[in-house]
Amino acid sequence: MANNNNDKMSREEAGRKGGNKTSREHNKDFYQDIGQKGGEKTAKEHDKEFYQEIGEKGGNKAANEHNKEFYEDIGEKGGKKTAREHDKEFYQEIGEKGGKQTSKNQDKEFYREIGEKGGKNSGN
């Protein structure tokens, strides 16, 4: 569909045609290679704050576009896949790491509160 400017193609149409041609002429390895090169260049040119900022923007956008059920669904799918791919030792190891990290970051009051909550819920 040429625009009415001397039968010249619009930028949108030219981009679409170029993208379609590239996708016909190249395979998955090509896209992985250019993606890796782009990622490496981006990593060299930006700092931690850049990644934190774009991560926050992406997270906020996703949160605005999806509801609680969406996150429950993808969490369940991820949990099932993880369970298929890992054994008991994996869970013991990550549990131990998480426990050590939590004990470094929390005090006795934290453990008292969660123990109290657990005790209240165990009677249900």
Side-chain angles (χ1 to χ4, degrees), residues 82-94:
T82 302
R84 284 192 309 268
E85 295 177 356
H86 297 286
D87 59 9
K88 180 179 174 181
E89 287 76 25
F90 169 81
Y91 287 100
Q92 288 172 331
E93 184 180 326
I94 65 170

Side-chain angles (χ1 to χ4, degrees), residues 88-110:
K88 180 179 174 181
E89 287 76 25
F90 169 81
Y91 287 100
Q92 288 172 331
E93 184 180 326
I94 65 170
E96 186 176 336
K97 287 179 181 178
K100 285 179 181 177
Q101 189 63 42
T102 301
S103 69
K104 280 197 257 183
N105 297 331
Q106 303 297 333
D107 58 8
K108 284 185 178 183
E109 180 63 20
F110 168 80

Side-chain angles (χ1 to χ4, degrees), residues 30-95:
F30 167 80
Y31 287 101
Q32 286 176 332
D33 186 44
I34 63 171
Q36 184 171 353
K37 288 177 183 176
E40 288 170 359
K41 182 171 183 181
T42 301
K44 285 179 188 172
E45 295 176 355
H46 296 285
D47 59 6
K48 179 180 175 183
E49 287 76 25
F50 168 79
Y51 287 99
Q52 288 173 329
E53 185 180 324
I54 63 171
E56 184 176 343
K57 287 179 181 178
N60 288 337
K61 182 173 183 179
N64 289 332
E65 292 177 357
H66 300 288
N67 60 19
K68 179 182 172 186
E69 290 76 23
F70 169 80
Y71 289 102
E72 288 173 349
D73 184 45
I74 63 171
E76 184 177 345
K77 287 177 182 176
K80 286 179 179 177
K81 181 174 184 182
T82 302
R84 284 192 309 268
E85 295 177 356
H86 297 286
D87 59 9
K88 180 179 174 181
E89 287 76 25
F90 169 81
Y91 287 100
Q92 288 172 331
E93 184 180 326
I94 65 170

